[in-house]
Amino acid sequence: MSTVKVSSPFVLLAGAGLILAACLDNAQSPPPQVDTPRQEAPEGVLAPIDLIYVCGNRFLATNATGTRVDVEYRVLGTDETGMLTLPVGPAEDPGYGETELETAERGAVELYRDEQRLTRRPNRNYPCGPSASRVSPSVMAAAGPEATGSWSAPFSWRIVAIHTSLLPNGKVLSWGLDGAPQVWNPSSGSFTWVPSADWLFCSGHSFLRDGRLLVSGGHIKAFHGIPDNNLFSFGTQTWASSTPMQRGRWYPTNTTLASGEVLILAGSDEAGVQVTQPEVWTSGTLRMLSTASLELPYYPRAFLAPNGKVFYAGEQQKTRYLNTTGTGGWTTVGNRRYGVRDNGAAVMYDSGKILYVGGGRTTNTAEIIDLNQAAPAWQWTGSMAYPRRHLNATVLPTGEVLVLGGTSGTVFNDISKAVHAAELWSPTTGAWSTLASNAVGRAYHSTALLMPDGRVLFAGSGAEKGAPDETNAELFSPPYLFKGARPTIGTVPSLVSYGTTFSVTTAQAADIAKVSLIRLGSVTHSNDMNQRFQSLSFVRGTGALTVTAPGSRKQTPPGHYMLFILNGTDVPSKAKIIRVR
């Protein structure tokens, strides 16, 4: 339901839907304030009834009490007051109902119940999008697959693919809420069940230097996570257990570090309590970052930065660096332009450069940051044609970013407002192009992976939240696959060392304009914990390219990557998967 502004006093709205049911504002003299211990809590830490500031004069009133609640809001420094009915939230993620409030006056907002002040949040006067002069327009691509790309028909997938990872052998591992994990072979279209000992739904996962997938945490029930670490070996297609974490984690994020270690961040434990201390997994041992306690929302968007620290890009507006050495420590980088971008997507589209797009309540805006700068700061880039939450963002061999799926609705997972059109962002111009539309509405619990053949696998959606269970998948062929003959890679080393050169044989050596290196994707809940992109320098020779391997583990953490070569019209080869160590 969209935001409603009402000019008559004391209008009460009944919430409808799981999230963002409705909002009102109005003016009336506030009654005397009643001081309580809770005023302004740290960002991201929500009381049973609370407020989240979004942007402009927009707030969210949240309700995690399990019952419908009537509250009064007051805008400090003004006469504006009003009543809100806060609906019951969903039993699963995020666990609280949300009611959008857009005030007529600007000022801090307080919530009261029976004259008891429950919470106070300031109005930070952040813009809800770039000014018109700074917008790079979204354009509709001309007709034809060479401009819009093309979709395959949906094909069967045995489960709702909530978690998907591209394995170093080019196959895809996936699992969901129900059913055992499975491996899909894109060459044959066959599936192989690979049962695990644990319920891995709502876990975090990233690849180790040797190609094994470390899966941290998992599911007991909503908001309650297991402490187990599991390892999947792509060669034998088997699971093995590793040393468990000190506490369970449900919805954690894994980030592979320059050392090959893995940072495990956030989530809730066996008792449903938020885990504030990060852990670092090292060859089967774990150490706590005891001086880096911080409560973060589920599945934080985190990236290894060029300085070797881990950059927290969101969902909160305040972005930070985490130093993972010793017992750890956080430092502030700065605020994003938009407010809380929950259920948005963030990707590292070039070395140290991050795009954060969509999410929020619900926005089409996007912003970027360059972590190579001495003082990184978020900047607006172009806005999508469609507002989206639960979208998937995937870096392509061209360095462009493809956005798929999501919903434009303002309730949590309004599949009736699913966005079918793909959109493509250019890092050169900052503009978006609208591409071909897929057949299946995919929002919450959908996943997208770049495949070695240059297509993008789009699967999942459903498994709770009122949407159909989509036990199927589609493949998107981007426009570059319709722009002429593709260059081909002959031979390439399977293993390359940092700072060395290596040969890539190709009959089209004279025509090659770009060499791209893309880490394998591992995605769930709009959060790809593994993919990152960079261009490699090279010299053309007769029938071969001499390519310079990455020189820094901080920019290229050890592990497996897809290597693409592209010609002057940005047509990519099929990838070869190599290991960088």
Side-chain angles (χ1 to χ4, degrees), residues 315-328:
E315 301 175 343
Q316 293 174 351
Q317 186 173 30
K318 182 180 290 185
T319 61
R320 301 171 165 93
Y321 279 134
L322 172 61
N323 186 337
T324 60
T325 62
T327 56

Side-chain angles (χ1 to χ4, degrees), residues 172-253:
V172 174
L173 172 67
S174 70
W175 64 87
L177 174 62
D178 300 310
Q182 62 179 9
V183 171
W184 176 61
N185 185 337
S187 298
S188 64
S190 63
F191 292 90
T192 303
W193 293 112
V194 287
S196 61
D198 286 324
W199 197 357
L200 301 180
F201 174 58
C202 295
S203 56
H205 34 85
S206 69
F207 284 102
L208 304 177
R209 68 174 77 218
D210 60 6
R212 290 178 298 168
L213 184 72
L214 175 65
V215 180
S216 300
H219 194 69
I220 299 173
K221 60 180 181 178
F223 311 107
H224 296 71
I226 62 175
D228 297 0
N229 279 304
N230 287 279
L231 294 163
F232 184 77
S233 297
F234 67 93
T236 59
Q237 296 193 163
T238 56
W239 293 94
S241 61
S242 182
T243 306
M245 299 172 287
Q246 292 193 19
R247 294 168 63 187
R249 293 186 190 257
W250 189 81
Y251 278 57
T253 290

Side-chain angles (χ1 to χ4, degrees), residues 6-13 24-26 73 81-85:
V6 181
S7 56
S8 58
F10 290 109
V11 181
L12 187 63
L13 286 183
L24 298 185
D25 57 80
N26 211 323
Y73 75 87
T81 69
M83 297 296 294
L84 299 173
T85 293

Side-chain angles (χ1 to χ4, degrees), residues 121-422:
R121 295 287 179 179
N123 184 321
R124 301 187 184 279
N125 195 26
Y126 293 135
C128 291
S131 64
S133 63
R134 300 179 67 184
V135 172
S136 298
S138 177
V139 297
M140 179 71 71
E146 70 282 356
T148 65
S150 178
W151 285 93
S152 74
F155 57 95
S156 179
W157 202 270
R158 289 178 171 180
I159 57 174
V160 177
I162 299 173
H163 301 255
T164 58
S165 300
L166 177 65
L167 299 172
N169 57 8
K171 298 178 182 180
V172 174
L173 172 67
S174 70
W175 64 87
L177 174 62
D178 300 310
Q182 62 179 9
V183 171
W184 176 61
N185 185 337
S187 298
S188 64
S190 63
F191 292 90
T192 303
W193 293 112
V194 287
S196 61
D198 286 324
W199 197 357
L200 301 180
F201 174 58
C202 295
S203 56
H205 34 85
S206 69
F207 284 102
L208 304 177
R209 68 174 77 218
D210 60 6
R212 290 178 298 168
L213 184 72
L214 175 65
V215 180
S216 300
H219 194 69
I220 299 173
K221 60 180 181 178
F223 311 107
H224 296 71
I226 62 175
D228 297 0
N229 279 304
N230 287 279
L231 294 163
F232 184 77
S233 297
F234 67 93
T236 59
Q237 296 193 163
T238 56
W239 293 94
S241 61
S242 182
T243 306
M245 299 172 287
Q246 292 193 19
R247 294 168 63 187
R249 293 186 190 257
W250 189 81
Y251 278 57
T253 290
N254 284 13
T255 306
T256 302
L257 305 178
S259 60
E261 300 171 306
V262 175
L263 171 71
I264 308 169
L265 194 62
S268 52
D269 68 10
E270 300 92 330
V273 177
Q274 294 295 313
V275 184
T276 60
Q277 287 189 341
E279 291 181 76
V280 176
W281 183 95
T282 309
S283 301
T285 65
L286 289 139
R287 61 183 172 90
M288 298 293 292
L289 301 185
S290 57
T291 55
S293 292
L294 183 66
E295 184 168 329
L296 294 171
Y298 291 132
Y299 283 136
R301 278 51 170 165
F303 301 87
L304 176 66
N307 61 8
K309 299 177 182 179
V310 170
F311 178 67
Y312 167 65
E315 301 175 343
Q316 293 174 351
Q317 186 173 30
K318 182 180 290 185
T319 61
R320 301 171 165 93
Y321 279 134
L322 172 61
N323 186 337
T324 60
T325 62
T327 56
W330 292 94
T331 54
T332 297
V333 176
N335 285 343
R336 279 185 290 94
R337 298 282 179 161
Y338 190 82
V340 176
R341 282 192 184 269
D342 55 324
N343 307 304
V347 293
M348 185 173 280
Y349 67 90
D350 202 349
S351 182
K353 298 180 180 181
I354 293 169
L355 168 75
Y356 209 134
V357 57
R361 314 296 161 167
T362 297
T363 182
N364 66 338
T365 62
E367 49 192 309
I368 56 176
I369 191 170
D370 184 356
L371 301 178
N372 300 293
Q373 300 298 315
W378 289 92
Q379 303 294 331
W380 292 116
T381 186
S383 297
M384 298 181 292
Y386 300 93
R388 303 179 194 240
R389 64 196 310 182
H390 309 304
L391 66 160
N392 284 270
T394 306
V395 186
L396 300 182
T398 55
E400 298 165 304
V401 177
L402 178 72
V403 161
L404 300 177
T407 172
S408 288
T410 54
V411 298
F412 186 77
N413 191 33
D414 187 352
I415 203 68
S416 70
K417 296 182 180 178
V419 182
H420 292 266

